[in-house]
Amino acid sequence: MLYEREELAKILQELSEQGKIIVFTNGCFDILHAGHVKYLEQSKQLGDVLVIGLNSDDSVRRLKGDSRPVNSHTDRATVLSALRAVDFVCYFEEDTPLELIMKLKPHIITKGGDYAVQDVVGGEFVINNGGEVVIIELVAGKSTTSTIQRLNSLKQ
């Protein structure tokens, strides 16, 4: 289910006050694949609640180009929300999730293995507030870009 930022911040504050560990990750999640699922399952294992910051359609276009996203943010949120590991989805319009992270105040941020801890947006904020950044190894050969390339090669 797709939550508004203000509503989700209140829910997460209550859960945090109950001692729940809030894990946050973000991304486009345009065409969900096995690599995404494994990544989200590993992220969820680090805490009690997994929140996904989902790039809005305009944000994806700015990052990936005019041919993306393939699926709208509401469709992407619906698919992500159906996963057992995912508790909350909240989209953001900005190019980075920094404002959302500062609003939601997660205890842990996870990113894929193509990132270094010091390069994770919001990482410094979370670490300065007693949390941590965890880098999760990517599943080799699994990416949205490679999936789109395979699909395009089938058309030829």
Side-chain angles (χ1 to χ4, degrees):
M1 180 176 194
L2 191 56
Y3 286 81
E4 292 295 325
R5 185 177 302 215
E6 295 297 324
E7 175 189 17
L8 184 54
K10 290 176 186 173
I11 293 168
L12 295 180
Q13 181 178 353
E14 289 175 15
L15 290 170
S16 187
E17 289 170 358
Q18 295 169 19
K20 303 289 185 190
I21 302 298
I22 311 300
V23 180
F24 177 93
T25 194
N26 68 281
C28 300
F29 299 100
D30 195 7
I31 297 176
L32 203 63
H33 53 72
H36 286 135
V37 174
K38 290 180 189 278
Y39 169 77
L40 295 171
E41 288 173 345
Q42 290 176 340
S43 294
K44 175 65 181 251
Q45 290 173 1
L46 297 171
D48 301 301
V49 177
L50 178 61
V51 178
I52 297 179
L54 186 65
N55 291 76
S56 71
D57 295 344
D58 287 339
S59 177
V60 173
R61 268 190 284 286
R62 289 191 302 272
L63 292 171
K64 305 285 186 177
D66 289 338
S67 65
R68 301 276 299 276
V70 173
N71 295 296
S72 71
H73 72 254
T74 53
D75 286 352
R76 291 181 280 131
T78 298
V79 172
L80 288 165
S81 296
L83 297 176
R84 178 181 51 228
V86 177
D87 297 296
F88 300 100
V89 179
C90 182
Y91 78 93
F92 60 95
E93 293 285 349
E94 303 84 7
D95 289 344
T96 74
L98 182 59
E99 290 180 32
L100 182 60
I101 290 167
M102 293 172 74
K103 183 74 176 175
L104 301 182
K105 300 178 178 70
H107 302 104
I108 299 170
I109 294 179
T110 62
K111 285 302 280 182
D114 51 345
Y115 282 82
V117 170
Q118 65 271 19
D119 297 328
V120 174
V121 170
E124 183 177 355
F125 172 80
V126 169
I127 290 168
N128 287 343
N129 285 287
E132 64 180 311
V133 174
V134 177
I135 304 300
I136 295 177
E137 189 174 332
L138 296 175
V139 177
K142 303 293 182 189
S143 75
T144 300
T145 300
S146 67
T147 300
I148 291 172
Q149 289 171 342
R150 279 195 308 280
L151 290 170
N152 286 334
S153 72
L154 294 174
K155 290 193 277 185
Q156 299 172 359

